[in-house]
Amino acid sequence: MAVNRLAYFFAGAVLGAAGLAMVKTGKGQELVSGMINGGCGLAENVLGRVETVKEDIEDYMAELKYKAEQEKEAAEACAQDVAEQEEVEAVADVEIDIASEDVSEADEESVTDSETGKA
């Protein structure tokens, strides 16, 4: 266990010395600035994609809400049409009943008139 810790210490020291040597020669600054620029570019790219996805989701949700409203309006219109149709059928049934009663009364009167004429 102590050997592993000692190996990690020496590896860190070697990497630190190599990094210090690169910074002193100027190549390290170019490498670090390139990494920072690349990281910033990557961050901007990721944020741009996240914003695009967010807008797409908002558009999708707005379309779903619009479709739901359209379906609700269509269902209400259909229910209203059914109610109107039932009302028309009820009125037609009442008119048929009234007409059949008038016919029945007319038949009774004609039968009564014919019976009084015979007597």
Side-chain angles (χ1 to χ4, degrees):
M1 189 113 160
V3 176
N4 287 339
R5 288 184 184 173
L6 190 60
Y8 287 132
F9 174 76
F10 283 121
V14 170
L15 288 174
L20 183 63
M22 287 179 65
V23 170
K24 284 185 179 181
T25 60
K27 292 182 179 179
Q29 289 178 349
E30 292 174 12
L31 180 65
V32 170
S33 67
M35 287 174 37
I36 290 173
N37 288 336
C40 290
L42 179 64
E44 289 176 7
N45 189 11
V46 168
L47 291 176
R49 288 184 188 261
V50 167
E51 190 65 30
T52 302
V53 169
K54 182 181 174 183
E55 290 173 0
D56 290 344
I57 290 172
E58 288 174 353
D59 291 344
Y60 182 70
M61 293 300 294
E63 288 176 14
L64 287 177
K65 286 179 183 178
Y66 177 75
K67 286 180 182 179
E69 289 175 5
Q70 293 296 321
E71 289 176 2
K72 184 179 178 182
E73 290 175 4
E76 289 174 357
C78 183
Q80 190 176 19
D81 289 344
V82 167
E84 289 175 1
Q85 182 66 27
E86 289 175 355
E87 187 177 313
V88 167
E89 289 174 0
V91 169
D93 288 342
V94 170
E95 289 175 356
I96 290 171
D97 289 341
I98 291 172
S100 63
E101 287 176 7
D102 289 343
V103 169
S104 299
E105 289 175 7
D107 288 342
E108 288 175 12
E109 287 177 10
S110 65
V111 169
T112 307
D113 289 342
S114 62
E115 289 176 1
T116 56
K118 290 180 182 178

